[in-house]
Amino acid sequence: MARDARGGRAAGHRPRVQVAALVVAGVFLLIGVLGFIPGVTTDYGELRFGGHHSEAQLLGLFQVSILHNAVHLIFGLAGLVLARSVAGARVFLAAGGAIYLVLWLYGLGIEAIDPEAGANILPINDNDNWLHLALGFVMLALGLLLSNTAGTGGRLDNPADRH
C-alpha cells in the first residue's frame, strides 16, 4: 500500500475530520464568491462595504455586504489551510462552530437592541441568525465527534518540524 511522503498513513486516505473541514471550507469559499455575483445575490446594486445598510441578499434570503462576503472567503481559505492536519481540521471545525454560535448570539442581541445601531457592522437578518445557529452546532459537532478515533494509539499529527 502506498504511503504519503512522510511514511505515515496510506496516501489518499484522509481522516473524516479533515474531509469534513475541507468540505465546510469549500462551502464558505463558494458562498463568499456567490455573494459577489449579481442574480445569485438579489439587489446587487445595493451591496455596500459593511453595516446594516447593505440591502443585497444572497439567494434572496441572507443579507450580505462586501465585508460579509470577504469574511466568508477568509474563513474558507483558513479552513483549507487548517484542514491539512487532523489537529488543524479539529480547530477549524470546533472553534469555527463556537465562533458561529457567538455570531448567532450577536445577531440576537442586535435584533433585540436596535437593528439600525452602529454595532451592526455585518448585515444580519433573521435568516442569517438561524443559519449561524445551525452552522455553529454542525461545525462544533463535526470537529468534536469525527475526530474521536483519529490518532488513537499515537500522535494525532506529526509535528511540523518532523519530515
Side-chain angles (χ1 to χ4, degrees):
M1 178 178 287
R3 298 281 175 189
D4 69 4
R6 290 182 271 167
R9 68 179 183 278
H13 297 284
R14 291 186 186 268
R16 292 180 299 166
V17 69
Q18 283 181 282
V19 172
L22 287 169
V23 168
V24 170
V27 169
F28 276 108
L29 287 171
L30 178 64
I31 296 302
V33 169
L34 290 176
F36 290 111
I37 299 176
V40 177
T41 299
T42 59
D43 297 324
Y44 188 80
E46 300 298 317
L47 186 67
R48 302 290 179 257
F49 178 77
H52 59 279
H53 296 294
S54 182
E55 295 298 322
Q57 291 189 340
L58 180 63
L59 304 174
L61 296 171
F62 307 104
Q63 196 173 358
V64 293
S65 67
I66 294 169
L67 180 60
H68 204 150
N69 293 333
V71 168
H72 288 140
L73 291 170
I74 292 166
F75 206 73
L77 290 173
L80 290 180
V81 170
L82 289 169
R84 294 174 52 192
S85 70
V86 171
R90 277 179 154 171
V91 167
F92 172 67
L93 291 169
I99 289 168
Y100 269 90
L101 290 175
V102 168
L103 191 55
W104 169 67
L105 291 173
Y106 165 78
L108 290 180
I110 292 296
E111 288 284 321
I113 297 168
D114 182 8
E116 299 298 316
N120 193 0
I121 59 170
L122 291 176
I124 295 176
N125 60 18
D126 284 337
N127 292 334
D128 288 303
N129 286 336
W130 289 110
L131 180 62
H132 293 156
L133 176 63
L135 275 172
F137 278 123
V138 168
M139 288 178 70
L140 196 58
L142 289 172
L144 297 176
L145 299 177
L146 288 183
S147 55
N148 282 344
T149 59
T152 302
R155 297 177 79 103
L156 284 176
D157 288 312
N158 290 330
D161 59 343
R162 285 181 156 176
H163 297 281

